[in-house]
Amino acid sequence: DIDHLNLRVQKELVEWLNWLKADIGFDGWRFGFAKGYSADVAKIYIDRSEPSFAVAEIWTSLAYGGDGKPNLNQDQHRQELVNWVDKVGGKGPATTFDFTTKGILNVAVEGELWRLRGTDGKAPGMIGWWPAKAVTFVDNHDTGSTQHMWPFPSDRVMQGYAYILTHPGTPCIFYDHFFDWGLKEEIDRLVSVRTRHGIHSESKLQIIEADADLYLAEIDGKVIVKLGPRYDVGNLIPGGFKVAAHGNDYAVW
């Protein structure tokens, strides 16, 4: 165990981070198991090493109902993520992985897409509150891969990417999905749509429909994404939009 309250430990870790930055060329940090030390300590490491980007892993359980599924309201869960960024410094480079969005998406793609519209009409994860500080993902080395601790439904992974790669927040792609699952081309198409239309972490999200079998949203007035098996949505798509990417139960215009 590392005693992060020990001043010598702090000093040596800061020196190491600055060495990684100056000599090796790293310019961003990932704070694993950030619940294991206070945000005040993380702030010291960030302030004294000045990375261009930092992301924290704050993985706590969602609030579940008696049916074993997540409650619609996950405000307490995402508030914990927001609080960490606030304490570390909201104007700095600190972000957190959006575990709230991950947990809701896991269930939503199994025929409960209504979950993707919160009670306030916005996205229900951290991206609905502070998208500039939310790093979205479908799976990571803990949740998927060999550890398989909270995996995304394997036959619906591309629906997850269609969501995070068109939505606000800073999306990240899981190595396994990109290189080992044969999804590189499909993911690449979605990345190119995001890049071509300048979708960014603070893009404006308008949710058009969120039903059991259909989620439809428009981003920055430039991109429309559909998740779910409902096929006939032509009447909901404004004129001038053309399909740019599509796959199993998802499409992007």
Side-chain angles (χ1 to χ4, degrees), residues 5 13 23 27 39 53 58-59 64 67-68 74 81 95 107 121 143 155 161 172 176-177 191 202 214 217 234-235 249:
L5 297 178
L13 278 174
D23 289 21
D27 62 354
F53 181 77
I58 303 165
W59 184 358
Y64 288 89
D67 59 358
Q74 296 293 338
L81 304 178
T95 65
V107 180
T143 68
D155 58 336
Y161 281 111
C172 56
D176 293 28
H177 292 157
V191 170
E202 296 183 87
L214 172 68
N235 60 315
D249 287 346

Side-chain angles (χ1 to χ4, degrees), residues 61-125:
S61 178
L62 272 65
Y64 288 89
D67 59 358
K69 292 185 177 180
N71 295 337
L72 181 60
N73 186 320
Q74 296 293 338
D75 287 358
Q76 186 175 349
H77 192 268
R78 55 181 172 171
Q79 187 66 55
E80 185 178 2
L81 304 178
V82 165
N83 289 348
W84 189 91
V85 175
D86 261 336
K87 287 179 182 175
V88 172
K91 292 182 179 178
T95 65
T96 63
F97 286 112
D98 190 350
F99 277 93
T100 318
T101 290
K102 152 73 172 165
I104 293 168
L105 257 181
N106 266 26
V107 180
V109 296
E110 301 274 31
E112 299 181 5
L113 291 165
W114 48 267
R115 292 179 176 275
L116 296 179
R117 177 160 54 193
T119 52
D120 59 359
K122 298 179 181 180

Side-chain angles (χ1 to χ4, degrees), residues 35-248:
K35 291 175 66 179
Y37 41 93
S38 73
D40 296 328
V41 169
K43 178 175 170 57
I44 290 170
Y45 298 144
I46 290 173
D47 288 351
R48 296 181 187 173
S49 64
E50 298 183 340
S52 62
F53 181 77
V55 59
E57 177 197 38
I58 303 165
W59 184 358
T60 53
S61 178
L62 272 65
Y64 288 89
D67 59 358
K69 292 185 177 180
N71 295 337
L72 181 60
N73 186 320
Q74 296 293 338
D75 287 358
Q76 186 175 349
H77 192 268
R78 55 181 172 171
Q79 187 66 55
E80 185 178 2
L81 304 178
V82 165
N83 289 348
W84 189 91
V85 175
D86 261 336
K87 287 179 182 175
V88 172
K91 292 182 179 178
T95 65
T96 63
F97 286 112
D98 190 350
F99 277 93
T100 318
T101 290
K102 152 73 172 165
I104 293 168
L105 257 181
N106 266 26
V107 180
V109 296
E110 301 274 31
E112 299 181 5
L113 291 165
W114 48 267
R115 292 179 176 275
L116 296 179
R117 177 160 54 193
T119 52
D120 59 359
K122 298 179 181 180
M126 188 182 176
I127 59 170
W129 278 1
W130 202 357
K133 297 295 184 178
V135 175
T136 51
F137 67 103
V138 174
D139 264 327
N140 64 28
H141 61 283
D142 290 320
T143 68
S145 196
T146 52
Q147 299 208 58
H148 222 62
M149 290 168 68
W150 198 29
F152 203 85
S154 60
D155 58 336
R156 299 171 196 266
V157 160
M158 283 308 305
Q159 285 187 58
Y161 281 111
Y163 183 89
I164 69 169
L165 289 171
T166 56
H167 277 52
T170 301
C172 56
I173 297 163
F174 186 35
Y175 182 100
D176 293 28
H177 292 157
F178 196 73
F179 291 104
D180 301 337
W181 285 40
L183 300 177
K184 182 180 185 297
E185 285 187 17
E186 267 192 277
I187 292 172
D188 268 341
R189 273 197 294 274
L190 292 170
V191 170
S192 68
V193 169
R194 185 180 185 88
T195 304
R196 191 162 63 244
H197 294 284
I199 305 301
H200 55 89
S201 64
E202 296 183 87
S203 284
K204 185 185 176 190
L205 172 67
Q206 180 196 353
I207 298 171
I208 301 168
E209 189 70 68
D211 213 341
D213 64 344
L214 172 68
Y215 173 79
L216 193 70
E218 186 174 311
I219 301 88
D220 283 347
K222 299 175 182 176
V223 171
I224 294 176
V225 60
K226 184 213 87 163
L227 305 182
R230 193 187 301 181
Y231 184 75
D232 185 18
V233 296
N235 60 315
L236 297 172
I237 308 297
F241 281 86
K242 295 181 179 178
V243 175
H246 64 90
N248 184 28

